[in-house]
């Protein structure tokens, strides 16, 4: 049984609301009393995923599932998909436009940063269909 | 050092409604790329940037960065400032360039961020 399950829509190219879902998720986890280190790692990964939805996807959502042993964060979108995942994962690779770079994003570090911060990272993508990223964060067991 | 020392070293002015001069600052990150800031987070970090949009404050919120210095006389956008005030982020402004401001703080004893797991 999960303690909490919630989905947050993310709109493409909307830089005003970009990050609001991640901020909300961070607030929820803090309120639940989740370990500060986990909240920090998850917030970074979540924000990276949200920014990717904003700058690269046709729109999508972030969903949060808090379980007793772990937290599952899923980023899902409706396209355009990633043709070469290995290339996309490499640090420094980015297809972001100059406009996006002017906003401070598009350094090509996002996917690698998500993988680094999550305890488990899985990415699935199909061109023309969309991308799904699942990140799992283990919750420390009280001694 | 304290944020008050940072302010003094950079001859910076307060821009947010509240500036915590007593805030502990151990390291700094200078960048206009929020993507890079997100990749090298550290605790008690002050962010130096020339990027003025609201995503700067969003990034700070995500990384628990409590202080930002805008360099080269740049002023944060209205939304950025509003978000800083809402989240209690101390915002300073200096006329120095990003390079010079970074150099002065480094000489003053601040170190850089690292690539370690947050
Ligand atoms: N949700 C997504 N949909 C489509 N393409 C994506 C998505 N996320 C990432 N990508 C692709 O992977 C590349 C690398 O992503 P990332 O490491 O986050 O760097 P950046 O966002 O800075 O470009 C992006 O430039 C883009 O081409
Ligand atoms: Mg990215």
């Amino acid at each position: 049984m999960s303690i909490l399950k919630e989905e947050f829509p993310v709109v493409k190219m909307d830089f005003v609301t970009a990050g609001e879902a991640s901020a909300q998720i961070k607030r929820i986890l803090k309120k639940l009393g989740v370990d500060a280190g986990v909240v920090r790692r998850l917030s970074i990964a979540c924000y990276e995923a949200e920014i990717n939805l904003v700058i690269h996807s046709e729109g999508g959502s972030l969903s949060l599932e808090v379980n007793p042993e772990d937290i599952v964060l899923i980023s899902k979108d409706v396209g355009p998909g990633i043709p070469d995942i290995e290339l996309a994962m490499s640090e420094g690779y980015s297809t972001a436009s100059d406009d996006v770079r002017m906003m401070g994003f598009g350094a090509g570090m996002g996917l690698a940063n998500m993988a680094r911060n999550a305890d488990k990272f899985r990415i699935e993508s199909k061109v023309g269909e969309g991308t799904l990223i699942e990140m799992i964060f283990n919750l420390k067991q009280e001694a | 050092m304290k944020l008050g020392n940072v302010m003094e070293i950079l001859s910076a002015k307060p821009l947010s409604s509240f500036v915590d001069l007593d805030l502990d600052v151990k390291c700094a990150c200078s960048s206009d790329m929020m993507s890079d800031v997100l990749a090298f987070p550290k605790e008690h970090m002050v962010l130096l940037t020339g990027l003025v949009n609201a995503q700067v404050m969003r990034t700070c919120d995500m990384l628990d960065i409590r202080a930002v210095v805008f360099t080269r006389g740049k002023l944060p956008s209205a939304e950025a400032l509003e978000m800083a005030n809402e989240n209690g982020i101390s915002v300073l402004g200096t006329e120095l360039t990003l390079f010079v401001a970074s150099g002065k703080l480094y000489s003053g004893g601040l170190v850089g961020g690292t690539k370690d797991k947050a």
Side-chain angles (χ1 to χ4, degrees), chain B residues 103-117:
Chain B
K104 286 200 173 202
L105 290 181
Y106 191 82
S107 308
L110 284 190
V111 295
T114 64
K115 219 177 172 177
D116 296 343
K117 225 173 186 185

Side-chain angles (χ1 to χ4, degrees), chain B residues 24-83:
Chain B
D24 270 316
V25 178
K26 298 211 170 88
C27 62
C29 176
S30 302
S31 183
D32 288 351
M33 287 300 273
M34 292 306 107
S35 301
D36 285 335
V37 180
L38 284 163
F40 306 103
K42 228 182 161 184
E43 274 174 56
H44 303 288
M45 186 160 93
V46 58
L47 172 65
L48 278 70
T49 187
L51 189 76
V52 297
N53 66 35
Q55 293 306 319
V56 171
M57 298 309 163
R58 195 66 88 184
T59 303
C60 290
D61 188 26
M62 285 301 123
L63 295 175
D64 296 319
I65 295 174
R66 312 302 308 151
V68 183
V69 182
F70 289 99
T71 54
R72 208 150 55 78
K74 290 189 187 164
L75 294 173
S77 67
E79 302 92 72
L81 202 53
E82 192 180 318
M83 206 182 283

Side-chain angles (χ1 to χ4, degrees), chain A residues 14-28:
Chain A
D14 184 344
F15 281 98
V16 180
T17 59
E20 268 180 16
S22 302
Q24 241 175 300
I25 288 173
K26 185 177 187 181
R27 234 174 289 136
I28 290 171

Side-chain angles (χ1 to χ4, degrees), chain A residues 48-49 51-52 55-56 94 105-111 114, chain B residues 35:
Chain A
E48 290 279 16
I51 293 295
N52 276 1
I55 66 178
H56 302 301
S94 175
F105 298 100
M109 314 286 277
L111 290 172
M114 287 178 226
Chain B
S35 301

